[in-house]
Amino acid sequence: MDHTVDEGVDVAANENTARTAASALAAPTALTAHQLVGLLVDPGSFHSWDEPPPGPPADPEYRASLDRARERTGLDEAVLTGLGLIDGRPVALVVSEFGFLGGSIGVATAERITRAVERATAERLPLLALPVSGGTRMQEGSAAFLCMLRITAAVQTHRAAGLPYLTYLRNPTMGGVFASWGTLGQLVLAEPGARLGFLGPRVYEELRGVELPADVQQAETLAEHGLVDAVVPPQDLRELVRRTLAVLGTTPPPAEAPDDAESPTEGTDDTRPDAWDSVLRTRRPDRPGTRELLRRTAEELVLLDAPGGRGGALVRALAVLGGRPVVVVGQQRQSPEHERPFTAADLRAVRRTALLAEQLGLPLVTVVDTAGAELSAQAEREGIAVEIAHCLTTLLALRTPVLAVLLGQGSGGGALALLPADRVIAAGHSWLAPLPPEGASAIVHRDGAHAAELARAQGIGAHRLAEVGLVDEVVPELPDAAEEPEAFCARLGQAIGRTLGALAAPEADRLAARAARHRRLGDSR
């Protein structure tokens, strides 16, 4: 027997649903639909798309509940839709109202949402959905439940058209709404402290005989597991959406012809950095990491995963680099005392970010700088090796351009997972190895004392990697990125912009070249 009952908050069985839901959760979202619209859009710019719902239902109790909800909220349904301007940019909006029968979705509600999504697609508008809901309206039963498919199909068509679809999950967003259109945003944002989930706490308690732990369905918990991109207070949402649309609305400059100038990958063994010295330099705590690189080089930047996100070992962002909108996913090197390994959840987020780039038709920039993937029993249980394999296949097959930046440490499968690309740029002291040199020494010599020797013997440095076909350009460090962070980031940013311009080739040609490139990897030039 299936007890996954769509609905999270014992949804909208009567006009007491909102109070029932609120008693089971933290306080529901404090802002009404109209108040949230007022917080988001330019003053006076919102124009409703809503038409009156069909005639009243036959059931007198349900009809009375609808009348009371309309009197209490001033709305005729549990959602309002329309067009507004955010910093002058037109945006289609779908905004739920929790005060109207707990934001529940009936057939008329679903039709209103679907029409709004279809109109946004037809007019090629970005769409921002802001649900707050217990799920399906129980008075309408299966007919309303099935309407989640109707909404989802419209959303899929919108996304397939390459149009932005952003969602902001408010407290609470449960049941079928959470399991369909609420979590299908290319960016999924959430209100701090929001309860988000499939099964409602009262239903869980009835089925299991125990209370559902309070933090399981909390927005911050979902962000830590990569299911929510960022936890954003309502007062900060307008600015984040504005910057997101600014990135996505950037028109890239014309494609550039490949640079035939001599690539700075030349040099003799006497002039190239010593491999062990490079390993030590990339471990300096003051060396620029992914976040610093983006902050110094991006013309527009939307950093995800903060506050409340994974942060730590992974950086995800929308950015404009070299005048081109891109999606970025990279590893953030940390100081040894705060080091967090690169986990299976991080790798799943890498794949999700890569697919986001493909959906939006934007280049993907990966940044490699890791001491390695997590090595633990828990990592084995979570399938970290399988996640590395999935990252490799996802990036190899990605239809949009992929540029990898080897910024510093490149240890093991955690680094390899981000390296399938059309081009690779490497910092002068960056390196890539199956294991850290100390680990290689332990395998070969049964001690760590030969780490420097193994580093020099294994060909791990950026220039050696160019010789075996991985690295296309080495950006010099003079003498060390940590000692010249501004100048180094500027040089690397210029190389990224120049290479992105050269990657704007027809898709079929680019994918064929990518396949040929990886077929040759490891062979000396």
Side-chain angles (χ1 to χ4, degrees), residues 2-8 11 104-110 134-152 174-181 198:
D2 182 7
H3 288 293
T4 54
V5 184
D6 178 31
E7 299 336 304
V11 107
S104 58
I105 307 298
V107 174
T109 330
T136 299
R137 191 168 296 169
M138 286 296 135
Q139 294 94 331
E140 299 187 26
S142 295
F145 180 49
L146 289 171
C147 284
M148 300 300 177
L149 298 177
R150 178 191 305 187
I151 300 171
T152 301
M174 306 295 294
V177 174
F178 182 77
S180 60
W181 58 279
F198 188 46

Side-chain angles (χ1 to χ4, degrees), residues 36-389:
L36 186 55
V37 169
L39 200 63
L40 285 173
V41 304
D42 300 348
S45 70
F46 181 75
H47 299 283
S48 175
W49 288 347
D50 297 336
E51 298 178 0
D59 177 47
E61 290 188 8
Y62 181 29
R63 185 166 62 247
S65 293
L66 288 171
D67 290 341
R68 284 188 288 270
R70 286 164 180 160
E71 182 178 356
R72 182 167 55 246
T73 64
L75 300 178
D76 60 3
E77 251 303 341
V79 66
L80 64 86
T81 70
L83 177 69
L85 301 178
I86 297 180
D87 197 29
R89 295 177 184 271
V91 183
L93 298 171
V94 172
V95 191
S96 298
E97 174 53 68
F98 191 75
F100 195 108
L101 299 183
S104 58
I105 307 298
V107 174
T109 330
E111 179 63 14
R112 179 173 288 182
I113 295 169
T114 303
R115 288 187 179 185
V117 176
E118 291 172 341
R119 182 168 176 177
T121 306
E123 298 182 13
R124 300 201 60 79
L125 294 169
L127 175 60
L128 173 61
L130 305 106
V132 55
S133 176
T136 299
R137 191 168 296 169
M138 286 296 135
Q139 294 94 331
E140 299 187 26
S142 295
F145 180 49
L146 289 171
C147 284
M148 300 300 177
L149 298 177
R150 178 191 305 187
I151 300 171
T152 301
V155 166
Q156 178 60 21
T157 300
H158 186 84
R159 293 179 6 150
L163 297 169
Y165 175 59
L166 316 178
T167 59
Y168 181 65
L169 309 181
R170 296 148 67 206
N171 184 34
T173 301
M174 306 295 294
V177 174
F178 182 77
S180 60
W181 58 279
T183 47
L184 289 177
Q186 291 142 340
L187 292 185
V188 180
L189 313 172
E191 181 180 18
R195 182 183 284 275
L196 312 172
F198 188 46
L199 182 64
R202 281 185 45 184
V203 177
Y204 181 90
E205 187 173 353
E206 180 68 24
L207 295 175
R208 306 293 185 187
V210 294
E211 291 186 0
L212 183 69
D215 64 342
V216 168
Q217 295 179 325
Q218 193 172 44
E220 289 76 6
T221 301
L222 271 63
E224 290 171 3
H225 288 82
L227 302 175
V228 165
D229 292 305
V231 178
V232 185
Q235 64 271 22
D236 296 338
L237 182 60
R238 172 185 163 90
E239 176 59 17
L240 188 146
V241 172
R242 182 200 69 76
R243 287 188 285 118
T244 298
L245 296 179
V247 172
L248 299 181
T250 298
T251 301
E256 299 176 9
D259 189 356
D260 292 330
E262 182 178 325
S263 173
T265 57
E266 305 297 328
T268 66
D269 289 343
D270 293 334
T271 60
R272 295 174 180 181
D274 174 74
W276 179 241
D277 180 60
S278 289
V279 169
L280 298 179
R281 287 177 183 271
T282 58
R283 292 173 176 173
R284 286 183 57 164
D286 55 346
R287 182 179 175 85
T290 301
R291 287 191 179 89
E292 183 174 352
L293 173 66
L294 291 174
R295 290 188 174 115
R296 288 184 181 274
T297 59
E299 295 103 274
E300 286 280 358
L301 179 62
V302 181
L303 280 170
L304 303 173
D305 303 322
R310 286 176 305 281
L314 190 70
V315 176
R316 302 171 64 243
L318 299 172
V320 176
L321 298 173
R324 298 177 185 277
V326 299
V327 177
V328 181
V329 62
Q331 295 153 327
Q332 178 65 35
R333 181 185 44 79
Q334 299 167 297
S335 58
E337 62 271 19
H338 298 107
E339 190 74 44
R340 185 176 79 77
F342 201 59
T343 66
D346 291 326
L347 289 160
R348 286 190 290 272
V350 170
R351 285 196 290 130
R352 181 167 181 264
T353 308
L355 295 175
L356 167 64
E358 188 172 75
Q359 289 168 14
L360 294 172
L362 297 180
L364 176 70
V365 176
T366 67
V367 185
V368 177
D369 193 2
T370 180
E374 181 178 10
L375 304 176
S376 68
Q378 180 65 23
E380 294 295 322
R381 284 191 291 268
E382 292 182 355
I384 193 160
V386 174
E387 294 300 336
I388 291 171

Side-chain angles (χ1 to χ4, degrees), residues 371-373 375 410-416 431-437 439-440 443 458-460:
L375 304 176
S411 181
L416 192 69
W431 55 275
L432 175 72
L435 285 173
I443 291 175
Q458 287 188 317
I460 70 175

Side-chain angles (χ1 to χ4, degrees), residues 397-414:
L398 206 69
R399 297 196 306 270
T400 52
V402 182
L403 169 61
V405 178
L406 186 54
L407 183 60
Q409 300 181 89
S411 181

